[in-house]
Amino acid sequence: DSRLAPVGRLDMDSRGLLILSEDGVVAKAVIGPASELEKEYLVRVLGEVTDAKLDLLRHGLELDGRRLRPAQVTRLDGQQLRFVLKEGRNRQIRRMCELVELDVADLFRVRVGPIRIGKLPEGRWRALTAEERAALIA
């Protein structure tokens, strides 16, 4: 009869790692205003990826009148980018890409802090270990 709530969110067009918990300490560590946990995404984009666009994605954008925190954005190959964020504004990666004339074709979250999705099949779940919980709230 446990009531698990999502800790953070993925929009309906995104996929990947989602943490569910009834543990308020874990929730605060992951999505609280003071959270410094990194969230990592693999993003396939459409459009011309240039060094100037990558620089803007890393340092030069604002959303809703507020400057974004610096992001780690690297080009993996062709149209595949890796984003590492320390904030999670609404549809942030999609909106960032839009600002530099890139369209997101696929967005997959692979990591939240120390927790990696690994080889967990889509639609499946597993419990966090005590060590993973401790690492999230450290």
Side-chain angles (χ1 to χ4, degrees):
D1 289 337
S2 180
R3 302 276 183 220
L4 297 175
V7 178
R9 63 186 176 268
L10 286 172
D11 65 49
M12 64 184 267
D13 298 320
S14 301
R15 56 198 185 95
L17 178 63
L18 182 63
I19 295 175
L20 304 173
S21 181
E22 61 183 4
D23 184 333
V25 175
V26 168
K28 184 176 178 183
V30 175
I31 61 171
S35 177
E36 288 290 321
L37 283 181
E38 294 179 340
K39 287 88 176 174
E40 180 178 345
Y41 304 82
L42 299 179
V43 182
R44 190 167 50 83
V45 296
L46 303 172
E48 184 182 3
V49 178
T50 65
D51 288 340
K53 289 179 181 182
L54 292 174
D55 285 343
L56 284 170
L57 289 169
R58 291 177 186 127
H59 305 290
L61 299 174
E62 70 176 47
L63 292 176
D64 306 321
R66 287 193 345 216
R67 191 144 189 83
L68 294 172
R69 294 171 73 176
Q72 295 175 40
V73 182
T74 52
R75 187 176 196 170
L76 300 178
D77 63 49
Q79 302 301 109
Q80 184 85 15
L81 304 177
R82 177 181 165 268
F83 279 73
V84 179
L85 305 177
K86 285 192 175 183
E87 64 187 324
R89 309 260 296 276
N90 184 35
R91 298 178 63 85
Q92 180 173 340
I93 291 173
R94 292 178 189 282
R95 293 168 65 202
M96 289 171 68
C97 287
E98 219 173 79
L99 289 171
V100 297
E101 299 177 343
L102 295 173
D103 292 317
V104 173
D106 187 46
L107 190 149
F108 185 73
R109 182 164 50 206
V110 296
R111 179 173 65 89
V112 174
I115 311 301
R116 292 190 172 278
I117 196 164
K119 295 185 187 291
L120 189 66
E122 196 163 332
R124 299 297 305 240
W125 67 273
R126 69 170 180 81
L128 290 178
T129 66
E131 293 80 16
E132 288 172 326
R133 181 189 182 278
L136 278 173
I137 64 176

